[in-house]
């Protein structure tokens, strides 16, 4: 076992606003005529890039105070073509959702781009269905990747059975249909996060469910602006959940966290592994469940992580795998080939970093398996405890960097993470908050 010596201060902490909801608040504000307001907005590179992109189409964004913005849009019919390329940085959600929206705006032409990591990520998954809706969208990179060149058009009504349980694809097509005042029938095999559906309903629209995983939206759409309240991001809280559960002493109360059932897979998975986490102060805000999460030091064991849980833990698998290093019997994740399409190929990045630590990991096309509590692993942990330096590569991926910083805090190993600046895309202040939870 990795020696568990980390003592935490018992503290109430907050993590920054939900990234998915922050992106969507800008997109719905841009579609809506008149004023919208958002509080709790995640002021990190990814959603700020989405905000900056839409100001180039005519959205006015005024910062009131930290996390609080007032938006004013001329309405979707009066958004204009930007005269510069729209740069979404590292954000797959930013570019894919915005691409859908812009495809549905007749007369608006734009080029959407991003950093080197984003330019490698698959865009065929949105280009194909958008093209079938009548959109003009071309991936200018190799293999249909970004930059994406779009000429907005009136789109046709469309029915799509998504081969991938992806909220980005679902939201991209919904925003295309909404922007274009056209009908969409959409189905997926496992429910992916449904924030777009919730925000759409929160603005006064109806969704017709033909079955639990198949729905239809039909115009006319109501887009009159709203007041969005963004809770803390459970994907960011996940790092502190694992820290709290694996500490030797201390409890964290992580306050005001979005608990949408399509996002709480990390709680289910950690509980299956034996973690004690309690939900307090549950409430509904802006159509989304919210609550506080209290962690207790727990003993973890290997658990079977079912396939149905994968979409709701897709962003948390790196930090869950770190927890798995401490689980009696080890850790295995399968059915997670989507990990290869994230900010980095997270199967490769996790496996290669675990191998740098010296542990044996079996890699599969859709996941990996390891046993951090085997006799051999225990010998490795003993040698790493003596201060041997281990280089860790973050591959331009915020969640890889944060996962290994948590491992470093929990184990005391001399992990040398090559670059941590990516953390700014989703969790400004992560390292300071981590330090605040630990004793000197
Ligand atoms: C997101 C959806 C997920 C997730 C991403 C945010 C969203 O992607 O990985 O970080 O806000 O819709 P997929 O739905 O493509 O898996």
């Amino acid at each position: 076992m990795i020696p568990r010596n980390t003592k935490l201060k018992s503290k109430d902490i907050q993590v920054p606003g939900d990234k998915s909801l922050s992106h969507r608040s800008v997109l719905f504000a841009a579609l809506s005529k008149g004023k919208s307001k958002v509080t709790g907005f995640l002021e990190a590179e990814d959603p700020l890039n989405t905000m900056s992109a839409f100001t180039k189409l005519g959205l006015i964004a005024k910062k009131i105070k930290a996390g609080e913005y007032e938006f004013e849009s001329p309405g979707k019919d009066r958004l204009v073509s930007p005269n510069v390329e729209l740069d979404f940085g590292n954000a797959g959600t930013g570019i894919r959702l915005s691409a859908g929206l812009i495809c549905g705006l007749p007369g608006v032409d734009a080029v959407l781009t991003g950093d080197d990591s984003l330019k490698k990520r698959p865009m065929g998954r949105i280009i194909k269905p958008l093209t079938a809706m009548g959109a003009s969208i071309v991936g200018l990179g190799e293999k249909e990747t970004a930059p994406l060149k779009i000429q907005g058009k009136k789109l046709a009504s469309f029915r799509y059975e998504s081969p991938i349980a992806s909220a980005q694809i679902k939201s991209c097509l919904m925003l295309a249909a909404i922007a274009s005042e056209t009908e969409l029938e959409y189905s997926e095999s496992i429910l992916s996060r449904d924030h777009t559906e919730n925000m759409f309903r929160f603005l006064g629209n109806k969704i017709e469910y033909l079955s639990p995983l198949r729905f239809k939206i039909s115009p006319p759409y109501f887009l009159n602006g709203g007041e969005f309240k963004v809770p803390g991001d459970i994907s960011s809280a996940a790092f502190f959940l694992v820290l709290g559960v694996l500490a030797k002493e201390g409890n964290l109360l992580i306050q005001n966290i979005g608990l949408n059932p399509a996002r709480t897979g990390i709680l289910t998975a950690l509980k299956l592994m034996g973690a004690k986490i309690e939900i307090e102060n549950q409430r509904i805000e802006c159509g989304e469940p919210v609550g506080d999460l209290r962690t207790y030091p727990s003993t973890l064991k290997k658990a079977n992580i079912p396939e149905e849980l994968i979409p709701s833990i897709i962003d948390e698998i790196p930090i869950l795998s770190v927890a798995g290093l401490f689980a009696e019997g080890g850790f295995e994740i399968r059915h997670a080939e989507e990990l290869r399409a994230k900010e980095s190929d997270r199967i490769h990045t996790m496996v290669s970093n675990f191998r740098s630590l010296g542990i044996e990991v079996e890699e599969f096309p859709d996941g990996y398996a390891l046993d951090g509590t085997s006799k051999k692993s225990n010998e490795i942990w003993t040698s790493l405890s003596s201060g041997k330096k281990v280089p860790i590569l973050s591959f331009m991926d915020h969640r890889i960097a944060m996962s290994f910083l948590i491992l470093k805090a929990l184990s005391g190993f001399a992990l040398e993470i090559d670059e941590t600046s990516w953390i700014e895309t989703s969790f400004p202040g992560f390292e300071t908050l981590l330090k605040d939870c630990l004793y000197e």
Side-chain angles (χ1 to χ4, degrees), residues 43-115:
E43 291 176 298
E45 286 171 10
D46 281 7
L48 286 172
N49 279 331
T50 298
M51 191 190 294
S52 158
F54 278 87
T55 60
K56 295 179 180 105
L57 273 78
L59 178 72
I60 299 168
K62 194 166 128 201
K63 180 165 175 163
I64 310 295
K65 58 179 195 230
E68 192 173 323
Y69 288 80
E70 205 174 79
F71 298 114
E72 189 162 2
S73 171
K76 65 184 170 64
D77 302 329
R78 297 216 169 153
L79 292 173
V80 295
S81 302
N83 48 22
V84 289
E85 287 193 354
L86 304 176
D87 186 353
F88 290 89
N90 199 250
T93 308
I95 197 169
R96 293 196 182 104
L97 272 56
S98 303
L101 195 163
I102 295 171
C103 277
L105 297 175
V108 176
D109 297 347
V111 175
L112 284 58
T113 191
D115 68 13

Side-chain angles (χ1 to χ4, degrees), residues 221-283:
Y221 300 123
F222 298 98
L223 298 162
N224 293 322
E227 292 206 4
F228 306 113
K229 220 168 154 184
V230 177
D233 197 325
I234 190 160
S235 300
S236 298
F239 299 100
F240 290 88
L241 289 173
V242 169
L243 181 75
V245 162
L246 288 170
K248 198 174 166 197
E249 239 179 71
N251 308 93
L252 296 176
L253 183 71
I254 315 171
Q255 295 173 313
N256 189 37
I257 299 301
L259 297 175
N260 178 312
R263 297 286 302 281
T264 50
I266 182 68
L267 300 178
T268 311
L270 283 172
K271 283 181 185 170
L272 285 172
M273 289 164 75
K276 185 173 174 201
I277 298 168
E278 278 172 5
I279 302 178
E280 300 178 6
N281 191 17
Q282 276 211 69
R283 56 209 185 265

Side-chain angles (χ1 to χ4, degrees), residues 18-21 23-24 93 96-97 121 125 164-169 171 192-193 195-196 235 263 311 314-315 338 342-343 346 398-399:
D18 188 275
K19 186 148 70 76
S20 294
L21 288 169
H23 283 297
R24 285 162 175 79
T93 308
R96 293 196 182 104
L97 272 56
R121 294 181 65 184
R125 54 182 56 201
I164 312 171
S166 158
Q168 293 187 5
I169 300 175
S171 306
S192 64
R193 65 191 68 188
H195 300 303
T196 308
S235 300
R263 297 286 302 281
I314 196 70
D315 291 339
E338 270 299 293
K342 294 298 169 189
E343 285 83 333
R346 287 184 178 153
H398 55 138
R399 298 198 207 281

Side-chain angles (χ1 to χ4, degrees), residues 111-223:
V111 175
L112 284 58
T113 191
D115 68 13
D116 289 346
S117 151
L118 190 57
K119 283 191 200 146
K120 287 192 198 119
R121 294 181 65 184
M123 294 297 152
R125 54 182 56 201
I126 59 161
I127 293 176
K128 199 167 158 250
L130 284 169
T131 307
M133 274 176 103
S136 167
I137 172 169
V138 183
L140 300 176
E142 271 175 47
K143 297 193 207 152
E144 287 199 304
T145 46
L148 303 175
K149 187 171 162 39
I150 294 176
Q151 287 173 298
K153 289 214 171 102
K154 168 80 184 159
L155 305 176
S157 68
F158 189 50
R159 188 169 158 179
Y160 193 57
E161 294 192 3
S162 180
I164 312 171
S166 158
Q168 293 187 5
I169 300 175
K170 175 170 65 178
S171 306
C172 166
L173 298 187
M174 284 182 75
L175 290 162
I178 297 166
S180 211
E181 288 288 329
T182 192
E183 189 177 281
L184 174 73
E185 187 179 318
Y186 189 92
S187 72
E188 55 191 343
S189 56
I190 304 177
L191 182 72
S192 64
R193 65 191 68 188
D194 55 358
H195 300 303
T196 308
E197 293 94 305
N198 289 344
M199 224 176 240
F200 178 66
R201 269 194 297 248
F202 179 68
L203 291 178
N205 295 283
K206 281 207 180 78
I207 300 184
E208 186 190 346
Y209 278 89
L210 309 168
S211 70
L213 295 170
R214 175 183 294 276
F215 67 84
K216 193 155 118 183
I217 55 171
S218 313
Y221 300 123
F222 298 98
L223 298 162

